[in-house]
Amino acid sequence: MKNTLSAESSQLWNSSIPGVKLFEARFTQHRFGKHFHEGYTIGLNECGQGRCLHRGQIHFHHPGSFNCINPGEMHTGEVSSAQGWAFRNLYISVSAIQQILRQLNLPGQPLPCFSNIIVNDAILRALFYRLFQALDDPVSQLEPQSLLLRFLFLLFTRDAHFSPQTLASTSTAPKQKSKAVVIARDYLRVHCTQDISIDALAALVDLNPFYFIRCFHQQVGVSPHSYKQHWQLLSAKQALSTEQSLSEISLAYGFYDQSHFTRAFKRTFGVTPGRYRKVNFIQDRSR
């Protein structure tokens, strides 16, 4: 890869293993707004430099370093060098991680939690490239599955810890002081396609609207509106596997129109919904 990126490109697609997605991007100016992923994000920076806001701190992503983000953690991402920023990500669902823990003979073990977003490890870096290639174009199921187990075993044992408090932001058993926010968060997730007023949401948890907004932003990292829209996007992304048109999906999942849906989708996932559908579903149907 060249040291300077001349054009932006990005691609998000399903791997050969259920619950594992691949993402490859080269950006010169793209910026991801605050967002979260339902599963784990494990990314390798390849060229240039990026930066993100994560747990209230700014982190810089240099070539050769990994970005490791737990499910439900709010973060941003943007280019921070004249050379642009190129990276590859693995997105791994919680259910896939739970199955992997069983395969590693760790059934019942709490989910792993990354303490630091930045990880530097030359051995893991070399293994990551082999794994990424195998997941993208497997010769057999055995190779990608074996490489994934080896990679995650090394990553988790070296750079994560197993704690009952893992995924506190998505826990169904929160601390008492967060109970109102958790109730509101769950309500927004279930009713993400509906038009919800702040008064109705605050009344649901018996809090003053202004106080509720402050508590929600402090504990979740984004406003109730942004959190609701993120669940709209996640739901709409699932609908891209159907025969519905983009305009129908836009309206069905609470967006003003297709342009609004497309802008929000690309800002969060790095690709347009049309591009995501083409790579992941139209191509699959033709096989």
Side-chain angles (χ1 to χ4, degrees):
M1 182 179 293
K2 296 179 180 179
N3 291 329
T4 301
L5 307 177
S6 58
E8 295 204 344
S9 65
S10 57
Q11 184 171 325
L12 174 66
W13 70 102
N14 295 316
S15 77
S16 59
I17 296 179
V20 180
K21 292 183 180 293
L22 306 176
F23 182 63
E24 187 170 23
R26 302 180 182 189
F27 291 133
T28 57
Q29 58 184 8
H30 184 76
R31 182 182 186 280
F32 295 93
K34 280 189 177 181
H35 66 287
F36 65 90
H37 301 281
E38 294 178 89
Y40 289 81
T41 301
I42 302 169
L44 178 62
N45 301 291
E46 296 188 288
C47 178
Q49 181 177 277
R51 68 183 173 193
C52 77
L53 175 65
H54 177 258
R55 298 179 185 171
Q57 294 184 335
I58 296 293
H59 302 271
F60 290 91
H61 309 304
H62 302 283
S65 67
F66 286 94
N67 313 323
C68 298
I69 304 175
N70 300 306
E73 289 186 336
M74 286 289 176
H75 59 284
T76 63
E78 63 182 311
V79 176
S80 65
S81 72
Q83 292 76 32
W85 182 27
F87 58 94
R88 303 185 190 196
N89 284 352
L90 297 179
Y91 297 120
I92 309 177
S93 70
V94 170
S95 60
I97 291 295
Q98 290 171 330
Q99 180 178 351
I100 287 167
L101 291 179
R102 290 193 292 270
Q103 293 172 326
L104 293 173
N105 199 27
L106 296 171
Q109 183 84 334
L111 287 167
C113 180
F114 296 113
S115 300
N116 301 308
I117 184 175
I118 305 298
V119 171
N120 288 285
D121 191 310
I123 294 176
L124 283 175
R125 187 162 59 246
L127 188 55
F128 180 90
Y129 279 113
R130 290 179 58 197
L131 170 61
F132 200 95
Q133 182 178 359
L135 288 168
D136 184 29
D137 187 22
V139 175
S140 68
Q141 295 186 63
L142 184 60
E143 182 182 20
Q145 291 172 353
S146 300
L147 288 172
L148 182 61
L149 285 175
R150 181 183 173 194
F151 176 80
L152 291 180
F153 175 78
L154 291 175
L155 179 64
F156 290 158
T157 54
R158 294 182 183 191
D159 300 290
H161 63 275
F162 295 88
S163 167
Q165 297 302 316
T166 301
L167 312 187
S169 61
T170 57
S171 173
T172 56
K175 295 180 181 179
Q176 186 63 32
K177 66 178 182 180
S178 302
K179 187 174 181 179
V181 171
V182 171
I183 291 173
R185 197 176 61 206
D186 290 343
Y187 185 86
L188 289 171
R189 174 177 57 81
V190 174
H191 301 87
C192 65
T193 61
Q194 300 177 14
D195 187 15
I196 305 170
S197 71
I198 192 63
D199 287 334
L201 197 58
L204 176 69
V205 295
D206 196 26
L207 290 177
N208 172 275
F210 180 66
Y211 179 72
F212 166 71
I213 292 174
R214 289 177 58 194
C215 290
F216 193 97
H217 197 285
Q218 181 181 37
Q219 294 179 32
V220 180
V222 292
S223 68
H225 166 72
S226 296
Y227 186 81
K228 173 179 175 290
Q229 186 182 79
H230 196 72
W231 279 107
Q232 288 174 246
L233 288 168
L234 291 172
S235 300
K237 186 170 73 169
Q238 295 296 321
L240 290 172
S241 64
T242 70
E243 298 294 337
Q244 286 183 287
S245 68
L246 293 182
S247 60
E248 289 173 334
I249 292 174
S250 302
L251 296 177
Y253 289 91
F255 296 94
Y256 303 132
D257 52 31
Q258 185 175 330
S259 296
H260 179 214
F261 172 46
T262 298
R263 289 195 303 271
F265 194 96
K266 184 173 183 180
R267 184 170 61 247
T268 297
F269 300 115
V271 296
T272 65
R275 175 64 176 168
Y276 178 78
R277 166 179 270 179
K278 181 178 180 180
V279 171
N280 287 284
F281 303 115
I282 293 179
Q283 182 182 41
D284 289 345
R285 293 185 193 128
S286 64
R287 291 177 180 176

